[in-house]
Amino acid sequence: MTGESIVEMHGVVKSFNALRPLRIAELTITAGSRVALSGIDAPGAEVMLNLVTGASLPDEGEVRVFGRSTAAVSDGDEWLASLDRFGIVSERAVMLEGATLTQNLALPFALDIDPVPAETIARVEMLADDCGIGRELLSGRAGDVPAAVRSRVHLARAVALGPTLLLLEHPTAALAEGERRAFGSIVGRVCDARGITMLAVTQDLAFASAAAHETLSLNAATGRLSPVRRSWWRR
């Protein structure tokens, strides 16, 4: 970890369809670190990720990403170009259910996936290996694979093009209890191998214990973030 700030949030307040707005009093994430945030529900997680990517701006306070205020982005083209630095793992991401896993994993590399070019298949196989997806599964339909594999496909597509920051939005919500820590270990390993900084919004402390260097719990009323001690985690 270099100490360079990747994400900074100061006095942030963002209203959405909830009883209270999302508040983040202070948050700093440095390069190479892996941070998990608990205490934010699914709608709040979407708001949080939108604030970090600059898709929405705070009602109060400041969000700085890669050293620049998200409010300073001047137009849509500049914002779209900035998205190349993010990888996002979310169940809201579209998967081609009738296509093979190979075709789904090829999408970050090529628009023509029927058939997938040979050179792209080689990249897909390496990506699958990195993210714990067995090569024997690649020829199967995406709609037929279990949730544990789908989560790894979402991860693989998010890191395929080498983002600086990986954002995860309740990534284990569909996983069985025994699958969550294993997925966290894969996420941590992939981030370390590729030098990716991570921010995960999750209520799953088993996942967080494996994926993150630090887990912070949000006090929704004040916006203060407090470290979650390892002795609190349920294994």
Side-chain angles (χ1 to χ4, degrees):
M1 290 177 276
T2 66
E4 173 192 0
S5 292
I6 300 298
V7 177
E8 300 172 73
M9 304 181 82
H10 307 288
V12 168
V13 179
K14 181 65 176 180
S15 295
F16 62 108
N17 293 327
L19 293 176
R20 54 165 56 113
L22 176 67
R23 299 179 185 273
I24 304 291
E26 294 287 337
L27 173 65
T28 299
I29 298 174
T30 57
S33 63
R34 293 185 267 115
V35 176
L37 298 184
S38 69
I40 303 176
D41 63 11
E46 182 178 352
V47 172
M48 181 70 180
L49 266 62
N50 285 342
L51 288 170
V52 174
T53 61
S56 63
L57 299 177
D59 301 326
E60 300 176 26
E62 182 182 36
V63 179
R64 298 182 66 83
V65 182
F66 308 124
R68 186 182 185 194
S69 172
T70 57
V73 176
S74 59
D75 56 46
D77 290 340
E78 184 181 4
W79 176 71
L80 285 173
S82 73
L83 294 182
D84 291 342
R85 303 187 72 179
F86 299 99
I88 300 176
V89 176
S90 170
E91 284 296 321
R92 294 183 293 114
V94 175
M95 194 176 295
L96 302 179
E97 302 291 342
T100 66
L101 291 191
T102 294
Q103 290 172 311
N104 275 275
L105 293 175
L107 282 172
F109 305 125
L111 294 177
D112 184 6
I113 60 170
D114 189 16
V116 178
E119 62 273 18
T120 302
I121 289 177
R123 299 177 74 180
V124 164
E125 289 177 343
M126 292 179 62
L127 182 62
D129 292 345
D130 289 347
C131 295
I133 303 168
R135 292 192 182 188
E136 71 280 2
L137 300 173
L138 295 178
S139 60
R141 291 176 65 256
D144 296 335
V145 299
V149 176
R150 290 178 69 89
S151 65
R152 298 176 191 194
V153 172
H154 283 303
L155 172 64
R157 295 200 309 185
V159 303
L161 297 181
T164 303
L165 176 62
L166 179 66
L167 302 172
L168 300 98
E169 178 185 339
H170 290 292
T172 61
L175 298 186
E177 184 174 354
E179 298 168 336
R180 297 170 183 172
R181 186 181 299 276
F183 184 55
S185 296
I186 291 171
V187 170
R189 184 177 70 242
V190 168
C191 288
D192 283 349
R194 294 171 178 251
I196 299 172
T197 304
M198 184 201 85
L199 170 60
V201 181
T202 179
Q203 300 286 59
D204 183 349
L205 296 182
F207 166 83
S209 69
H213 296 127
E214 181 180 29
T215 301
L216 303 173
S217 178
L218 176 67
N219 182 317
T222 65
R224 293 181 180 175
L225 292 163
S226 303
V228 176
R229 289 180 288 180
R230 288 180 178 267
S231 59
W232 295 350
W233 292 341
R234 295 293 181 264
R235 298 184 183 275

